[in-house]
Amino acid sequence: MGAFYCSVCKQTFFAGKSHIFGKKHQDKLKIVLTKFLDKVKEARRMLKSPAVEKYDVTEHELNLWCYCCGAEVQKHITNGNLTVLCGGLLEHMASPEHRKQTDRFWWETKADSKLKEKFLFSEEEMDRFKTEVAKALESYEEKEDEFIKQQASYIREVEQRRQEVMQSILEVCFPRMHQNT
């Protein structure tokens, strides 16, 4: 029997893979999957109503660890101006590579097979997500256009008041100049 490294427990075992059937491993696996499932549930909520936000480097450059793939995954998708929340995680979890690695992870760790489908997304779900993202982007752009119009109106009002104040100052301070015009 050779050495076996358990990525869940982060330990090397020299007694072979029998470790994965032990209580300690199964408890640790349950904790890891529960923690990851919370993030997956958050992403799943975004399937039906994706959120688009203005890009913020402090919030939207987050990476998550995919325990199934053993790799870091970008949580959000961004183009530098706008961000689709959880878009990166959703795309990753719908990828064929993630599906393959999830099968491998479940086989190697002997995780509960009933839970596996919760960590996978279908192509149909991603197609619906993309449709909903398009709607969310359109809605975001409409809100931004309305905000810009409101700001432009406010700026015009302020400029009008400024001109009125300047005119009244000129009338008071320089009455002769005003009378000649």
Side-chain angles (χ1 to χ4, degrees):
M1 260 186 219
F4 170 72
Y5 178 75
C6 177
S7 61
V8 174
C9 298
K10 295 179 177 52
Q11 291 181 352
T12 301
F13 296 91
F14 295 97
K17 293 186 177 185
S18 63
H19 155 77
I20 61 177
F21 298 103
K23 181 171 175 22
K24 183 178 175 187
H25 170 80
Q26 290 297 319
D27 289 346
K28 180 77 172 174
L29 179 62
K30 188 174 185 177
I31 290 168
V32 165
L33 291 178
T34 301
K35 180 180 171 185
F36 191 41
L37 187 58
D38 290 342
K39 294 171 185 167
V40 173
K41 284 179 180 177
E42 176 189 358
R44 212 170 264 289
R45 282 191 292 274
M46 292 293 167
L47 279 174
K48 294 179 184 167
S49 58
V52 176
E53 293 182 355
K54 191 170 187 147
Y55 175 73
D56 179 359
V57 71
T58 60
E59 292 182 25
H60 300 139
E61 288 295 327
L62 299 174
N63 291 327
L64 298 175
W65 185 257
C66 177
Y67 291 97
C68 301
C69 297
E72 211 170 41
V73 177
Q74 191 174 8
K75 183 175 182 181
H76 309 295
I77 292 179
T78 185
N79 66 0
N81 295 321
L82 298 176
T83 301
V84 177
L85 300 183
C86 295
L89 181 59
L90 287 167
E91 276 190 350
H92 168 74
M93 296 192 77
S95 72
E97 181 62 25
H98 175 74
R99 182 171 290 279
K100 180 180 161 188
Q101 292 299 326
T102 300
D103 288 341
R104 180 197 55 77
F105 178 81
W106 247 255
W107 175 258
E108 287 180 359
T109 62
K110 302 299 182 224
D112 185 357
S113 60
K114 296 173 192 165
L115 293 175
K116 186 165 95 172
E117 285 303 312
K118 292 182 179 185
F119 294 90
L120 300 170
F121 291 87
S122 68
E123 287 183 34
E124 293 80 26
E125 287 175 309
M126 279 310 293
D127 289 342
R128 283 194 306 266
F129 175 70
K130 289 175 183 176
T131 302
E132 293 300 320
V133 166
K135 291 176 188 175
L137 282 170
E138 188 175 309
S139 173
Y140 178 85
E141 289 172 356
E142 287 173 3
K143 288 176 187 173
E144 282 293 305
D145 288 346
E146 183 60 33
F147 177 74
I148 290 170
K149 288 175 186 175
Q150 289 173 351
Q151 290 297 314
S153 175
Y154 175 74
I155 291 169
R156 283 191 291 275
E157 289 174 20
V158 169
E159 181 61 22
Q160 178 67 32
R161 280 188 253 140
R162 188 190 67 75
Q163 287 180 357
E164 290 170 0
V165 168
M166 288 300 294
Q167 185 66 32
S168 65
I169 289 173
L170 287 174
E171 289 173 3
V172 171
C173 294
F174 303 102
R176 280 190 250 153
M177 287 179 72
H178 184 65
Q179 288 175 352
N180 292 339
T181 56

